[in-house]
Amino acid sequence: MGISGVGRANERAERYLADVDAALAARGVDDRGEIVDGLREHLLAAIASATGAAAGSAAGPAAGSATGTPAGPAAGSATGSGPDDAAVDTAVDAAIRELGDPLAIAAEAAGDQLAERTAPAERTAPDRRTPAWVPVLAIVLVLVGGLLVGFVVPVVLLVAGLVMVWVSRVWTPGEKVAATFLVPLPGIALWTVLSVATAGQQCSTVTSGIDTQTTCTGSGGMSAGGVALTAALGVLALVGLAAAWTLVRRAVHRTAA
Amino acid sequence: MLPGQAQVLANLRRGVVEYCVLASLRSGERYGFDIARELEGTLLASAGTLYPLLARLRKGGLVETSWRESTEGPPRRYYGLTPEGVSALAEFEAAWVPFHHAVNTALSEGKS
């Protein structure tokens, strides 16, 4: 597509967000990340609403700010299935106009901070933001619980992790389903490989006096089906690890914002 | 110097708009763009000024956020009232109704 409508729209959107971020920084605003992410989500929603298409489907809040990738609010249309350049261009301009002057947003944020600092007694409610380590622990428990699921006690880890995932407000319902079914995959793959590997073995136990000796013998090789199964399980394990990594990254980004 | 209408509005918004944001969440969780659509105009100087307010409300424990999938793009952050937010809104309403009547009465003095 080149540097045409969508490219320029992205540039303008990113420049606008950078201007707001700089204005907030100049005012010493603490919640810069959260405010800029809110504005980014607003731009995405405004573009989607104005164009009636999945604009921004390739660029989430994490894509633009957490990873530093150039994917901007209008990037989704660059996939070829989105709205045309002119529509995105117009939508981005209109959304930026609606959001208003970066300096006014920074002034509002700085005014809020001032009000907060001068009237602390009015705000006694606890900060409900989830610490970043909580969702990370949840995913680690599901992953480790899955890897050790063959033992009795670690099942508790898996269950505890899944409960933590489902009560968390950091993930969407779809992401929670992914955490439930994809993150335990490495463990399931590992146990399947182990059980298949030991299934072909024949063991015999010989007792002589107080000594007991168990000897296991196998075919010593792996069939083509076994290789294919192992490869498939390896892919599933990688999918599980990738899902765990993505979920942790999103959770850390969202709890930091 | 006499304040213009814009300055009067800016003064009136202080301490009021955040409760209008809370009120907009009374019917259920909503995302930022949706809230901005409802309040922009008189209540918000610009849609962008909503986000510092939402950050403050979340920090103060009056709203909480959750994430939901969207059919139109990436997941969206939804804002919902906390029990403290419901209480704060009730307190504001209790103060606002007599305040509103008092202002109207004062403004109508000598008009008729």
Side-chain angles (χ1 to χ4, degrees), chain A residues 31 34 37-38 41-42 56 59 98-99 125 127-129 169-170 172 174 254, chain B residues 18 29 37 46-48 51-52 55 58-60 65-67 69 74 77 82 84:
Chain A
D31 305 317
E34 180 171 356
D37 279 347
E41 288 162 33
H42 185 106
E98 279 171 16
L99 286 174
D127 186 345
R128 288 171 174 258
R129 181 153 48 176
R169 298 178 69 89
V170 168
T172 68
R254 289 171 186 172
Chain B
E18 58 186 323
E29 294 188 341
R37 273 273 171 275
S46 68
Y51 295 94
R58 188 204 50 73
K59 229 173 136 183
T65 59
S66 62
W67 291 79
E69 279 95 3
R77 186 195 325 239
T82 62
E84 290 88 352

PDB file of all heavy atoms in Angstrom, chain A residues 31 34 37-38 41-42 56 59 98-99 125 127-129 169-170 172 174 254, chain B residues 18 29 37 46-48 51-52 55 58-60 65-67 69 74 77 82 84:
ATOM      1  N   ASP A  31      -0.226   9.222  35.859  1.00  0.00           N
ATOM      2  CA  ASP A  31      -0.956   8.159  35.138  1.00  0.00           C
ATOM      3  C   ASP A  31      -0.863   8.305  33.626  1.00  0.00           C
ATOM      4  O   ASP A  31      -1.818   8.014  32.907  1.00  0.00           O
ATOM      5  CB  ASP A  31      -2.437   8.172  35.554  1.00  0.00           C
ATOM      6  CG  ASP A  31      -2.586   8.065  37.041  1.00  0.00           C
ATOM      7  OD1 ASP A  31      -1.871   7.245  37.631  1.00  0.00           O
ATOM      8  OD2 ASP A  31      -3.415   8.787  37.611  1.00  0.00           O
ATOM      9  N   GLU A  34      -1.772   5.154  31.452  1.00  0.00           N
ATOM     10  CA  GLU A  34      -3.194   4.808  31.474  1.00  0.00           C
ATOM     11  C   GLU A  34      -4.001   5.787  30.609  1.00  0.00           C
ATOM     12  O   GLU A  34      -4.892   5.382  29.852  1.00  0.00           O
ATOM     13  CB  GLU A  34      -3.702   4.841  32.917  1.00  0.00           C
ATOM     14  CG  GLU A  34      -5.169   4.487  33.038  1.00  0.00           C
ATOM     15  CD  GLU A  34      -5.604   4.315  34.476  1.00  0.00           C
ATOM     16  OE1 GLU A  34      -4.749   4.388  35.379  1.00  0.00           O
ATOM     17  OE2 GLU A  34      -6.813   4.119  34.696  1.00  0.00           O
ATOM     18  N   ASP A  37      -3.168   5.241  26.875  1.00  0.00           N
ATOM     19  CA  ASP A  37      -3.795   3.993  26.410  1.00  0.00           C
ATOM     20  C   ASP A  37      -5.297   4.174  26.222  1.00  0.00           C
ATOM     21  O   ASP A  37      -5.888   3.625  25.295  1.00  0.00           O
ATOM     22  CB  ASP A  37      -3.528   2.849  27.403  1.00  0.00           C
ATOM     23  CG  ASP A  37      -2.149   2.249  27.197  1.00  0.00           C
ATOM     24  OD1 ASP A  37      -1.532   2.541  26.160  1.00  0.00           O
ATOM     25  OD2 ASP A  37      -1.692   1.498  28.073  1.00  0.00           O
ATOM     26  N   GLY A  38      -5.919   4.932  27.119  1.00  0.00           N
ATOM     27  CA  GLY A  38      -7.351   5.213  26.981  1.00  0.00           C
ATOM     28  C   GLY A  38      -7.632   5.972  25.692  1.00  0.00           C
ATOM     29  O   GLY A  38      -8.576   5.658  24.956  1.00  0.00           O
ATOM     30  N   GLU A  41      -7.285   3.602  22.729  1.00  0.00           N
ATOM     31  CA  GLU A  41      -8.481   2.765  22.579  1.00  0.00           C
ATOM     32  C   GLU A  41      -9.635   3.578  22.001  1.00  0.00           C
ATOM     33  O   GLU A  41     -10.423   3.089  21.198  1.00  0.00           O
ATOM     34  CB  GLU A  41      -8.887   2.174  23.933  1.00  0.00           C
ATOM     35  CG  GLU A  41      -7.937   1.089  24.412  1.00  0.00           C
ATOM     36  CD  GLU A  41      -8.067   0.824  25.901  1.00  0.00           C
ATOM     37  OE1 GLU A  41      -9.188   0.955  26.437  1.00  0.00           O
ATOM     38  OE2 GLU A  41      -7.051   0.507  26.539  1.00  0.00           O
ATOM     39  N   HIS A  42      -9.724   4.846  22.418  1.00  0.00           N
ATOM     40  CA  HIS A  42     -10.774   5.721  21.898  1.00  0.00           C
ATOM     41  C   HIS A  42     -10.613   5.901  20.385  1.00  0.00           C
ATOM     42  O   HIS A  42     -11.587   5.821  19.637  1.00  0.00           O
ATOM     43  CB  HIS A  42     -10.700   7.077  22.605  1.00  0.00           C
ATOM     44  CG  HIS A  42     -11.809   8.016  22.232  1.00  0.00           C
ATOM     45  ND1 HIS A  42     -12.856   8.299  23.078  1.00  0.00           N
ATOM     46  CD2 HIS A  42     -12.045   8.725  21.101  1.00  0.00           C
ATOM     47  CE1 HIS A  42     -13.686   9.135  22.473  1.00  0.00           C
ATOM     48  NE2 HIS A  42     -13.209   9.421  21.273  1.00  0.00           N
ATOM     49  N   GLY A  56      -8.067  -1.453  12.986  1.00  0.00           N
ATOM     50  CA  GLY A  56      -7.296  -1.625  14.202  1.00  0.00           C
ATOM     51  C   GLY A  56      -7.240  -3.044  14.677  1.00  0.00           C
ATOM     52  O   GLY A  56      -6.716  -3.315  15.738  1.00  0.00           O
ATOM     53  N   ALA A  59      -3.878  -4.043  15.602  1.00  0.00           N
ATOM     54  CA  ALA A  59      -3.147  -3.223  16.561  1.00  0.00           C
ATOM     55  C   ALA A  59      -3.973  -3.010  17.795  1.00  0.00           C
ATOM     56  O   ALA A  59      -4.952  -2.292  17.763  1.00  0.00           O
ATOM     57  CB  ALA A  59      -2.788  -1.874  15.932  1.00  0.00           C
ATOM     58  N   GLU A  98     -12.065  15.419  17.998  1.00  0.00           N
ATOM     59  CA  GLU A  98     -12.958  15.200  19.149  1.00  0.00           C
ATOM     60  C   GLU A  98     -12.169  15.071  20.450  1.00  0.00           C
ATOM     61  O   GLU A  98     -12.599  15.575  21.493  1.00  0.00           O
ATOM     62  CB  GLU A  98     -13.745  13.892  18.955  1.00  0.00           C
ATOM     63  CG  GLU A  98     -14.950  14.026  18.059  1.00  0.00           C
ATOM     64  CD  GLU A  98     -15.552  12.667  17.746  1.00  0.00           C
ATOM     65  OE1 GLU A  98     -15.227  11.687  18.452  1.00  0.00           O
ATOM     66  OE2 GLU A  98     -16.315  12.599  16.789  1.00  0.00           O
ATOM     67  N   LEU A  99     -11.051  14.391  20.381  1.00  0.00           N
ATOM     68  CA  LEU A  99     -10.260  14.185  21.608  1.00  0.00           C
ATOM     69  C   LEU A  99      -9.719  15.510  22.132  1.00  0.00           C
ATOM     70  O   LEU A  99      -9.627  15.715  23.340  1.00  0.00           O
ATOM     71  CB  LEU A  99      -9.112  13.196  21.345  1.00  0.00           C
ATOM     72  CG  LEU A  99      -9.551  11.731  21.208  1.00  0.00           C
ATOM     73  CD1 LEU A  99      -8.376  10.859  20.798  1.00  0.00           C
ATOM     74  CD2 LEU A  99     -10.152  11.213  22.508  1.00  0.00           C
ATOM     75  N   ALA A 125     -10.837   5.112  49.492  1.00  0.00           N
ATOM     76  CA  ALA A 125     -11.053   3.774  48.935  1.00  0.00           C
ATOM     77  C   ALA A 125      -9.725   3.199  48.452  1.00  0.00           C
ATOM     78  O   ALA A 125      -8.866   3.928  47.971  1.00  0.00           O
ATOM     79  CB  ALA A 125     -12.030   3.850  47.770  1.00  0.00           C
ATOM     80  N   ASP A 127      -6.915   1.342  46.164  1.00  0.00           N
ATOM     81  CA  ASP A 127      -6.651   1.213  44.729  1.00  0.00           C
ATOM     82  C   ASP A 127      -6.923  -0.235  44.327  1.00  0.00           C
ATOM     83  O   ASP A 127      -6.302  -1.150  44.850  1.00  0.00           O
ATOM     84  CB  ASP A 127      -5.181   1.573  44.466  1.00  0.00           C
ATOM     85  CG  ASP A 127      -4.873   1.613  42.975  1.00  0.00           C
ATOM     86  OD1 ASP A 127      -5.686   1.094  42.185  1.00  0.00           O
ATOM     87  OD2 ASP A 127      -3.824   2.170  42.622  1.00  0.00           O
ATOM     88  N   ARG A 128      -7.872  -0.420  43.408  1.00  0.00           N
ATOM     89  CA  ARG A 128      -8.267  -1.779  43.049  1.00  0.00           C
ATOM     90  C   ARG A 128      -7.438  -2.361  41.916  1.00  0.00           C
ATOM     91  O   ARG A 128      -7.758  -3.404  41.388  1.00  0.00           O
ATOM     92  CB  ARG A 128      -9.752  -1.794  42.644  1.00  0.00           C
ATOM     93  CG  ARG A 128     -10.645  -1.613  43.837  1.00  0.00           C
ATOM     94  CD  ARG A 128     -12.067  -1.410  43.408  1.00  0.00           C
ATOM     95  NE  ARG A 128     -12.915  -1.378  44.585  1.00  0.00           N
ATOM     96  CZ  ARG A 128     -13.666  -2.390  44.985  1.00  0.00           C
ATOM     97  NH1 ARG A 128     -13.686  -3.502  44.311  1.00  0.00           N
ATOM     98  NH2 ARG A 128     -14.399  -2.294  46.073  1.00  0.00           N
ATOM     99  N   ARG A 129      -6.394  -1.647  41.531  1.00  0.00           N
ATOM    100  CA  ARG A 129      -5.591  -2.159  40.424  1.00  0.00           C
ATOM    101  C   ARG A 129      -4.893  -3.450  40.862  1.00  0.00           C
ATOM    102  O   ARG A 129      -4.306  -3.525  41.941  1.00  0.00           O
ATOM    103  CB  ARG A 129      -4.567  -1.115  40.004  1.00  0.00           C
ATOM    104  CG  ARG A 129      -3.725  -1.587  38.856  1.00  0.00           C
ATOM    105  CD  ARG A 129      -3.202  -0.470  38.027  1.00  0.00           C
ATOM    106  NE  ARG A 129      -2.590   0.605  38.794  1.00  0.00           N
ATOM    107  CZ  ARG A 129      -2.006   1.637  38.226  1.00  0.00           C
ATOM    108  NH1 ARG A 129      -1.973   1.752  36.943  1.00  0.00           N
ATOM    109  NH2 ARG A 129      -1.469   2.585  38.960  1.00  0.00           N
ATOM    110  N   ARG A 169      -9.675  -9.694  36.455  1.00  0.00           N
ATOM    111  CA  ARG A 169     -10.347  -8.759  35.549  1.00  0.00           C
ATOM    112  C   ARG A 169      -9.381  -8.270  34.472  1.00  0.00           C
ATOM    113  O   ARG A 169      -9.695  -7.353  33.716  1.00  0.00           O
ATOM    114  CB  ARG A 169     -10.901  -7.573  36.337  1.00  0.00           C
ATOM    115  CG  ARG A 169     -11.948  -7.974  37.353  1.00  0.00           C
ATOM    116  CD  ARG A 169     -12.435  -6.773  38.135  1.00  0.00           C
ATOM    117  NE  ARG A 169     -13.205  -5.863  37.328  1.00  0.00           N
ATOM    118  CZ  ARG A 169     -14.518  -5.930  37.141  1.00  0.00           C
ATOM    119  NH1 ARG A 169     -15.199  -6.874  37.724  1.00  0.00           N
ATOM    120  NH2 ARG A 169     -15.142  -5.052  36.393  1.00  0.00           N
ATOM    121  N   VAL A 170      -8.191  -8.850  34.446  1.00  0.00           N
ATOM    122  CA  VAL A 170      -7.162  -8.375  33.511  1.00  0.00           C
ATOM    123  C   VAL A 170      -7.369  -8.936  32.115  1.00  0.00           C
ATOM    124  O   VAL A 170      -6.980  -8.307  31.135  1.00  0.00           O
ATOM    125  CB  VAL A 170      -5.768  -8.766  34.064  1.00  0.00           C
ATOM    126  CG1 VAL A 170      -4.679  -8.565  33.026  1.00  0.00           C
ATOM    127  CG2 VAL A 170      -5.463  -7.941  35.292  1.00  0.00           C
ATOM    128  N   THR A 172      -9.795 -10.811  28.958  1.00  0.00           N
ATOM    129  CA  THR A 172     -11.142 -10.922  28.405  1.00  0.00           C
ATOM    130  C   THR A 172     -11.603 -12.372  28.583  1.00  0.00           C
ATOM    131  O   THR A 172     -10.769 -13.266  28.790  1.00  0.00           O
ATOM    132  CB  THR A 172     -11.152 -10.577  26.908  1.00  0.00           C
ATOM    133  OG1 THR A 172     -10.428 -11.599  26.218  1.00  0.00           O
ATOM    134  CG2 THR A 172     -10.513  -9.229  26.629  1.00  0.00           C
ATOM    135  N   GLY A 174     -12.475 -14.462  26.381  1.00  0.00           N
ATOM    136  CA  GLY A 174     -11.816 -15.294  25.367  1.00  0.00           C
ATOM    137  C   GLY A 174     -10.398 -15.649  25.777  1.00  0.00           C
ATOM    138  O   GLY A 174      -9.936 -16.779  25.574  1.00  0.00           O
ATOM    139  N   ARG A 254      -1.512  -4.410  30.877  1.00  0.00           N
ATOM    140  CA  ARG A 254      -2.789  -3.856  31.346  1.00  0.00           C
ATOM    141  C   ARG A 254      -2.733  -3.460  32.817  1.00  0.00           C
ATOM    142  O   ARG A 254      -3.389  -2.502  33.217  1.00  0.00           O
ATOM    143  CB  ARG A 254      -3.904  -4.878  31.114  1.00  0.00           C
ATOM    144  CG  ARG A 254      -4.238  -5.027  29.639  1.00  0.00           C
ATOM    145  CD  ARG A 254      -5.172  -6.178  29.372  1.00  0.00           C
ATOM    146  NE  ARG A 254      -5.342  -6.376  27.937  1.00  0.00           N
ATOM    147  CZ  ARG A 254      -5.980  -7.404  27.415  1.00  0.00           C
ATOM    148  NH1 ARG A 254      -6.515  -8.327  28.189  1.00  0.00           N
ATOM    149  NH2 ARG A 254      -6.087  -7.518  26.104  1.00  0.00           N
TER     150      ARG A 254
ATOM    151  N   GLU B  18     -17.078  14.279  37.148  1.00  0.00           N
ATOM    152  CA  GLU B  18     -16.697  12.921  37.557  1.00  0.00           C
ATOM    153  C   GLU B  18     -17.918  12.128  38.049  1.00  0.00           C
ATOM    154  O   GLU B  18     -17.994  10.921  37.840  1.00  0.00           O
ATOM    155  CB  GLU B  18     -15.592  12.951  38.602  1.00  0.00           C
ATOM    156  CG  GLU B  18     -15.918  13.718  39.840  1.00  0.00           C
ATOM    157  CD  GLU B  18     -14.710  13.816  40.774  1.00  0.00           C
ATOM    158  OE1 GLU B  18     -13.939  12.850  40.874  1.00  0.00           O
ATOM    159  OE2 GLU B  18     -14.560  14.874  41.401  1.00  0.00           O
ATOM    160  N   GLU B  29     -21.445  -1.757  32.826  1.00  0.00           N
ATOM    161  CA  GLU B  29     -20.084  -1.439  32.381  1.00  0.00           C
ATOM    162  C   GLU B  29     -20.097  -0.872  30.955  1.00  0.00           C
ATOM    163  O   GLU B  29     -20.868  -1.329  30.114  1.00  0.00           O
ATOM    164  CB  GLU B  29     -19.210  -2.695  32.420  1.00  0.00           C
ATOM    165  CG  GLU B  29     -18.978  -3.221  33.818  1.00  0.00           C
ATOM    166  CD  GLU B  29     -17.960  -4.346  33.849  1.00  0.00           C
ATOM    167  OE1 GLU B  29     -17.704  -4.953  32.792  1.00  0.00           O
ATOM    168  OE2 GLU B  29     -17.438  -4.617  34.938  1.00  0.00           O
ATOM    169  N   ARG B  37     -19.019   9.561  24.138  1.00  0.00           N
ATOM    170  CA  ARG B  37     -20.116   9.891  23.222  1.00  0.00           C
ATOM    171  C   ARG B  37     -21.306  10.510  23.974  1.00  0.00           C
ATOM    172  O   ARG B  37     -21.951  11.433  23.497  1.00  0.00           O
ATOM    173  CB  ARG B  37     -20.612   8.621  22.520  1.00  0.00           C
ATOM    174  CG  ARG B  37     -19.878   8.264  21.265  1.00  0.00           C
ATOM    175  CD  ARG B  37     -20.490   8.987  20.061  1.00  0.00           C
ATOM    176  NE  ARG B  37     -19.691   8.833  18.858  1.00  0.00           N
ATOM    177  CZ  ARG B  37     -18.657   9.588  18.532  1.00  0.00           C
ATOM    178  NH1 ARG B  37     -18.270  10.569  19.314  1.00  0.00           N
ATOM    179  NH2 ARG B  37     -17.999   9.403  17.409  1.00  0.00           N
ATOM    180  N   SER B  46     -13.654  18.353  25.939  1.00  0.00           N
ATOM    181  CA  SER B  46     -13.356  17.547  24.751  1.00  0.00           C
ATOM    182  C   SER B  46     -13.349  16.093  25.201  1.00  0.00           C
ATOM    183  O   SER B  46     -13.173  15.808  26.390  1.00  0.00           O
ATOM    184  CB  SER B  46     -11.998  17.929  24.147  1.00  0.00           C
ATOM    185  OG  SER B  46     -10.954  17.543  25.014  1.00  0.00           O
ATOM    186  N   ALA B  47     -13.526  15.188  24.246  1.00  0.00           N
ATOM    187  CA  ALA B  47     -13.599  13.765  24.603  1.00  0.00           C
ATOM    188  C   ALA B  47     -12.327  13.303  25.316  1.00  0.00           C
ATOM    189  O   ALA B  47     -12.380  12.454  26.213  1.00  0.00           O
ATOM    190  CB  ALA B  47     -13.836  12.928  23.348  1.00  0.00           C
ATOM    191  N   GLY B  48     -11.193  13.896  24.933  1.00  0.00           N
ATOM    192  CA  GLY B  48      -9.918  13.477  25.516  1.00  0.00           C
ATOM    193  C   GLY B  48      -9.819  13.743  27.010  1.00  0.00           C
ATOM    194  O   GLY B  48      -9.077  13.047  27.719  1.00  0.00           O
ATOM    195  N   TYR B  51     -10.397  10.858  29.812  1.00  0.00           N
ATOM    196  CA  TYR B  51      -9.477   9.800  30.236  1.00  0.00           C
ATOM    197  C   TYR B  51      -8.689  10.136  31.508  1.00  0.00           C
ATOM    198  O   TYR B  51      -8.488   9.233  32.341  1.00  0.00           O
ATOM    199  CB  TYR B  51      -8.601   9.376  29.046  1.00  0.00           C
ATOM    200  CG  TYR B  51      -9.506   8.742  28.004  1.00  0.00           C
ATOM    201  CD1 TYR B  51     -10.047   9.499  26.960  1.00  0.00           C
ATOM    202  CD2 TYR B  51      -9.931   7.437  28.141  1.00  0.00           C
ATOM    203  CE1 TYR B  51     -10.952   8.943  26.069  1.00  0.00           C
ATOM    204  CE2 TYR B  51     -10.835   6.876  27.250  1.00  0.00           C
ATOM    205  CZ  TYR B  51     -11.346   7.635  26.223  1.00  0.00           C
ATOM    206  OH  TYR B  51     -12.262   7.083  25.359  1.00  0.00           O
ATOM    207  N   PRO B  52      -8.270  11.399  31.713  1.00  0.00           N
ATOM    208  CA  PRO B  52      -7.700  11.721  33.031  1.00  0.00           C
ATOM    209  C   PRO B  52      -8.727  11.512  34.155  1.00  0.00           C
ATOM    210  O   PRO B  52      -8.377  11.045  35.237  1.00  0.00           O
ATOM    211  CB  PRO B  52      -7.331  13.206  32.900  1.00  0.00           C
ATOM    212  CG  PRO B  52      -7.123  13.424  31.454  1.00  0.00           C
ATOM    213  CD  PRO B  52      -8.097  12.518  30.763  1.00  0.00           C
ATOM    214  N   ALA B  55      -9.010   7.787  34.828  1.00  0.00           N
ATOM    215  CA  ALA B  55      -7.814   7.318  35.546  1.00  0.00           C
ATOM    216  C   ALA B  55      -7.918   7.699  37.020  1.00  0.00           C
ATOM    217  O   ALA B  55      -7.589   6.911  37.910  1.00  0.00           O
ATOM    218  CB  ALA B  55      -6.558   7.923  34.918  1.00  0.00           C
ATOM    219  N   ARG B  58     -10.562   5.537  38.763  1.00  0.00           N
ATOM    220  CA  ARG B  58     -10.057   4.180  39.001  1.00  0.00           C
ATOM    221  C   ARG B  58      -9.063   4.161  40.146  1.00  0.00           C
ATOM    222  O   ARG B  58      -9.107   3.315  41.027  1.00  0.00           O
ATOM    223  CB  ARG B  58      -9.397   3.621  37.737  1.00  0.00           C
ATOM    224  CG  ARG B  58      -9.036   2.148  37.866  1.00  0.00           C
ATOM    225  CD  ARG B  58      -7.937   1.727  36.943  1.00  0.00           C
ATOM    226  NE  ARG B  58      -6.779   2.600  36.992  1.00  0.00           N
ATOM    227  CZ  ARG B  58      -5.915   2.644  37.997  1.00  0.00           C
ATOM    228  NH1 ARG B  58      -6.081   1.877  39.051  1.00  0.00           N
ATOM    229  NH2 ARG B  58      -4.898   3.478  37.961  1.00  0.00           N
ATOM    230  N   LYS B  59      -8.198   5.177  40.140  1.00  0.00           N
ATOM    231  CA  LYS B  59      -7.201   5.270  41.208  1.00  0.00           C
ATOM    232  C   LYS B  59      -7.860   5.475  42.570  1.00  0.00           C
ATOM    233  O   LYS B  59      -7.382   4.978  43.584  1.00  0.00           O
ATOM    234  CB  LYS B  59      -6.270   6.452  40.908  1.00  0.00           C
ATOM    235  CG  LYS B  59      -4.813   6.112  41.011  1.00  0.00           C
ATOM    236  CD  LYS B  59      -4.014   7.288  40.543  1.00  0.00           C
ATOM    237  CE  LYS B  59      -2.854   7.552  41.473  1.00  0.00           C
ATOM    238  NZ  LYS B  59      -2.103   8.745  41.075  1.00  0.00           N
ATOM    239  N   GLY B  60      -8.962   6.200  42.558  1.00  0.00           N
ATOM    240  CA  GLY B  60      -9.684   6.461  43.801  1.00  0.00           C
ATOM    241  C   GLY B  60     -10.566   5.303  44.235  1.00  0.00           C
ATOM    242  O   GLY B  60     -11.218   5.362  45.274  1.00  0.00           O
ATOM    243  N   THR B  65     -11.872  -1.678  36.235  1.00  0.00           N
ATOM    244  CA  THR B  65     -11.836  -1.978  34.797  1.00  0.00           C
ATOM    245  C   THR B  65     -11.797  -3.489  34.552  1.00  0.00           C
ATOM    246  O   THR B  65     -11.329  -4.249  35.392  1.00  0.00           O
ATOM    247  CB  THR B  65     -10.598  -1.342  34.131  1.00  0.00           C
ATOM    248  OG1 THR B  65      -9.423  -1.850  34.756  1.00  0.00           O
ATOM    249  CG2 THR B  65     -10.626   0.159  34.232  1.00  0.00           C
ATOM    250  N   SER B  66     -12.342  -3.877  33.420  1.00  0.00           N
ATOM    251  CA  SER B  66     -12.222  -5.267  32.967  1.00  0.00           C
ATOM    252  C   SER B  66     -12.089  -5.218  31.456  1.00  0.00           C
ATOM    253  O   SER B  66     -12.329  -4.180  30.841  1.00  0.00           O
ATOM    254  CB  SER B  66     -13.449  -6.080  33.386  1.00  0.00           C
ATOM    255  OG  SER B  66     -14.601  -5.561  32.782  1.00  0.00           O
ATOM    256  N   TRP B  67     -11.683  -6.332  30.873  1.00  0.00           N
ATOM    257  CA  TRP B  67     -11.439  -6.353  29.424  1.00  0.00           C
ATOM    258  C   TRP B  67     -12.436  -7.271  28.750  1.00  0.00           C
ATOM    259  O   TRP B  67     -12.740  -8.346  29.256  1.00  0.00           O
ATOM    260  CB  TRP B  67     -10.006  -6.810  29.149  1.00  0.00           C
ATOM    261  CG  TRP B  67      -9.012  -5.793  29.582  1.00  0.00           C
ATOM    262  CD1 TRP B  67      -8.581  -5.572  30.864  1.00  0.00           C
ATOM    263  CD2 TRP B  67      -8.359  -4.817  28.775  1.00  0.00           C
ATOM    264  NE1 TRP B  67      -7.688  -4.526  30.897  1.00  0.00           N
ATOM    265  CE2 TRP B  67      -7.525  -4.051  29.629  1.00  0.00           C
ATOM    266  CE3 TRP B  67      -8.386  -4.517  27.416  1.00  0.00           C
ATOM    267  CZ2 TRP B  67      -6.741  -3.006  29.156  1.00  0.00           C
ATOM    268  CZ3 TRP B  67      -7.590  -3.478  26.952  1.00  0.00           C
ATOM    269  CH2 TRP B  67      -6.783  -2.728  27.808  1.00  0.00           C
ATOM    270  N   GLU B  69     -13.792  -8.725  24.715  1.00  0.00           N
ATOM    271  CA  GLU B  69     -13.540  -8.759  23.280  1.00  0.00           C
ATOM    272  C   GLU B  69     -14.480  -7.788  22.562  1.00  0.00           C
ATOM    273  O   GLU B  69     -15.560  -7.488  23.062  1.00  0.00           O
ATOM    274  CB  GLU B  69     -13.789 -10.164  22.713  1.00  0.00           C
ATOM    275  CG  GLU B  69     -12.642 -11.126  22.913  1.00  0.00           C
ATOM    276  CD  GLU B  69     -12.838 -11.966  24.153  1.00  0.00           C
ATOM    277  OE1 GLU B  69     -13.896 -11.808  24.790  1.00  0.00           O
ATOM    278  OE2 GLU B  69     -11.954 -12.754  24.493  1.00  0.00           O
ATOM    279  N   PRO B  74      -9.468  -4.821  18.585  1.00  0.00           N
ATOM    280  CA  PRO B  74      -8.828  -5.439  19.748  1.00  0.00           C
ATOM    281  C   PRO B  74      -9.709  -5.364  20.993  1.00  0.00           C
ATOM    282  O   PRO B  74     -10.711  -4.632  20.996  1.00  0.00           O
ATOM    283  CB  PRO B  74      -7.560  -4.599  19.922  1.00  0.00           C
ATOM    284  CG  PRO B  74      -7.869  -3.300  19.295  1.00  0.00           C
ATOM    285  CD  PRO B  74      -8.810  -3.584  18.174  1.00  0.00           C
ATOM    286  N   ARG B  77     -11.254  -1.958  27.075  1.00  0.00           N
ATOM    287  CA  ARG B  77     -11.276  -1.821  28.530  1.00  0.00           C
ATOM    288  C   ARG B  77     -12.648  -1.261  28.934  1.00  0.00           C
ATOM    289  O   ARG B  77     -13.043  -0.190  28.475  1.00  0.00           O
ATOM    290  CB  ARG B  77     -10.178  -0.838  28.943  1.00  0.00           C
ATOM    291  CG  ARG B  77      -9.974  -0.697  30.434  1.00  0.00           C
ATOM    292  CD  ARG B  77      -9.145   0.540  30.754  1.00  0.00           C
ATOM    293  NE  ARG B  77      -8.121   0.814  29.769  1.00  0.00           N
ATOM    294  CZ  ARG B  77      -6.819   0.885  30.049  1.00  0.00           C
ATOM    295  NH1 ARG B  77      -6.387   0.686  31.257  1.00  0.00           N
ATOM    296  NH2 ARG B  77      -5.961   1.168  29.090  1.00  0.00           N
ATOM    297  N   THR B  82     -17.671   0.550  41.325  1.00  0.00           N
ATOM    298  CA  THR B  82     -17.381  -0.273  42.495  1.00  0.00           C
ATOM    299  C   THR B  82     -18.441   0.070  43.554  1.00  0.00           C
ATOM    300  O   THR B  82     -19.163   1.071  43.406  1.00  0.00           O
ATOM    301  CB  THR B  82     -15.993   0.073  43.068  1.00  0.00           C
ATOM    302  OG1 THR B  82     -16.016   1.438  43.492  1.00  0.00           O
ATOM    303  CG2 THR B  82     -14.905  -0.145  42.027  1.00  0.00           C
ATOM    304  N   GLU B  84     -17.897   1.445  46.292  1.00  0.00           N
ATOM    305  CA  GLU B  84     -17.539   2.799  46.746  1.00  0.00           C
ATOM    306  C   GLU B  84     -18.030   3.840  45.742  1.00  0.00           C
ATOM    307  O   GLU B  84     -18.453   4.931  46.127  1.00  0.00           O
ATOM    308  CB  GLU B  84     -16.008   2.928  46.902  1.00  0.00           C
ATOM    309  CG  GLU B  84     -15.418   2.145  48.045  1.00  0.00           C
ATOM    310  CD  GLU B  84     -15.044   0.721  47.651  1.00  0.00           C
ATOM    311  OE1 GLU B  84     -15.396   0.297  46.521  1.00  0.00           O
ATOM    312  OE2 GLU B  84     -14.420   0.039  48.470  1.00  0.00           O
TER     313      GLU B  84
END
